[in-house]
Amino acid sequence: MEQKNYDKIDWVLFIIRIVFGFRIFYGVADNVFSWEHMVQFEKFLASNGFPLPLLCAVTSVYAQFFSSLSWILGYQVRVSSLVMIINFFVAIIGFHVASGDSYLGMAPAIHLFAIAIMLYSLGSGKVSLDHFFKRS
């Protein structure tokens, strides 16, 4: 039987993926499971000048939803992190900066942007499906 050799960084990446994966999931699940909430998000985007607000809403919500599952499972983490980098960059510039939001108002998006950059750079670690499939 092969011994698993996990470093501290692997456990740190696992914890970060789980915590922030569930944070993103919690933030978009209402839009995934309720069309009314999706329409509210569309109206929010329209009121802030986003083009094609329904397309933007659906794209952002499902990108976050599937990326959150990716982070939680540790599967295709670099790909989903790149998607989240783009998503949160657009959110930070297109809404928070454009509307003159305070740092505290944009902090959640900035934090998720930073986590996405970290996961893109470091990958999922050994406590992940990425590592499992790489070894198989």
Side-chain angles (χ1 to χ4, degrees), residues 94-135:
F95 170 70
H96 294 289
V97 171
S99 67
D101 204 359
S102 69
Y103 171 76
L104 289 178
M106 64 176 90
I110 290 171
H111 298 163
L112 290 166
F113 179 71
I115 291 296
I117 291 171
M118 184 196 75
L119 289 173
Y120 180 75
S121 300
L122 299 176
S124 57
K126 292 179 184 173
V127 187
S128 66
L129 288 177
D130 282 342
H131 183 69
F132 175 79
F133 289 128
K134 187 170 123 180
R135 290 180 9 178

Side-chain angles (χ1 to χ4, degrees), residues 23-78:
R23 166 60 183 94
I24 293 173
F25 182 89
Y26 177 79
V28 297
D30 61 334
N31 291 349
V32 171
F33 300 116
S34 167
W35 186 250
E36 288 178 25
H37 287 206
M38 184 70 78
V39 170
Q40 288 175 351
F41 186 40
E42 173 201 15
K43 290 177 182 175
F44 169 80
L45 293 176
S47 71
N48 285 284
F50 280 81
L52 304 169
L54 181 59
L55 179 62
C56 288
V58 170
T59 301
S60 176
V61 164
Y62 280 97
Q64 291 179 69
F65 180 74
F66 287 114
S67 291
S68 73
L69 296 177
S70 168
W71 286 7
I72 291 165
L73 297 173
Y75 182 69
Q76 296 293 314
V77 167
R78 282 198 161 109

